[in-house]
Amino acid sequence: PPGEMQDKALARADLAVYKAKADGRSRLVMLDTSLEHAAARRRAIAQYLQDGIAQGHLFIEYQPIVSAKRAPVGFEALMRLKGPDGVSISPAEFIPIAEDGGLIEDLGRWVLKEAITAAAQLPEELCVAVNVSPHEFRRGDLSTYLEQILATTDVAPHRIYLEVRESTLLVADMDVERQLAELRAIGIRIALDDFGTGLSSLTHLWQFRFDRIKIDRAFSAKLDQDDTETAHMVETIAVLGRQVGTDVVAEGIESEAQLRAARAAGCDYFQGFLFARPSSFDTTLELVVEQAETRLIS
Ligand code: C2E
Ligand code: MG
Ligand code: MG
């Protein structure tokens, strides 16, 4: 607009460029107010995250991963951010912001420490899984950090799963594969998260021995629609998993029909709202005690 300050105009042009890049480059982007609102929200969240740990805005919820008999074999730690208005902000939104702003390394280490401390309070047969961003490999000392926490909490390394996405393996310059191998050598287990929707490269399964493959919930969502093609895909991934010696988890199981189909397809473990939504550690402990009691009775 006429009279607009040059720096503001440049900042707006920059927003449009950012959007064009995010959408895959080589395109024309018209700036509108929604882009400006989105950018303002991103900035506000980044600011809010800055001292999120110290201020107690961040917390962790745990969701069980269960066996075919529905008994929990472990829990996935999922990070949560309580917004200034008390409304929870999704990790799908705040994690990319934390990654862009260089905050994820500290957040990631905080989650690892909290989750391993939580594991120390759970029965020894239960594992805890933590999601790890590619950026957390940048410092190159993840295994040293984990070894320290495992030693101080006295948690056995095999009880910890680190969940990485395939894209993490592709990040250049961070020596991710070497670091993952180092972590496995300590005894920590590595899971391949969201398998089936990204690259799903066989090379990754073949060259890197994962302990677990997690089939993306996009597959589970279609499993109760009499979709034989999806069932065959899941079955094929389960067979592949067995061949390379990893166990296979079906994520996002919401219905009995999906569970039946995922079980029939050969998945070993299951996770989803059908069993439990992510919840506080206290609720998680109650669930564990309840399960132990029913096992004693039955
Ligand atoms: P993910 O690792 O694939 O986590 C599973 C997501 O599926 C979680 O979403 C969980 O709440 C959701 N979910 C579980 N069961 C069901 C179901 O039956 N139906 C549906 N529709 N959803 C289900 P959430 O907590 O929103 O997390 C989203 C993603 O954010 C995670 O996907 C993970 O990639 C990332 N994330 C979460 N916590 C962390 C963290 O501490 N560090 C990092 N780097 N990433 C995290
Ligand atoms: Mg995960
Ligand atoms: Mg996943």
Side-chain angles (χ1 to χ4, degrees), residues 214-231:
K214 297 187 82 175
I215 303 179
D216 194 87
R217 68 167 187 263
F219 287 88
S220 305
K222 287 181 136 189
L223 272 180
D224 58 1
Q225 297 165 4
D226 268 338
D227 183 335
T228 44
E229 249 170 57
T230 305

Side-chain angles (χ1 to χ4, degrees), residues 183-194:
L183 290 160
R184 280 196 92 219
I186 301 171
I188 288 169
R189 308 212 223 190
I190 312 293
L192 186 55
D193 207 353
D194 304 342

Side-chain angles (χ1 to χ4, degrees), residues 95-107:
I95 291 201
I97 296 171
E99 289 177 341
D100 282 350
L103 296 167
I104 195 69
E105 288 171 312
D106 290 341
L107 296 189

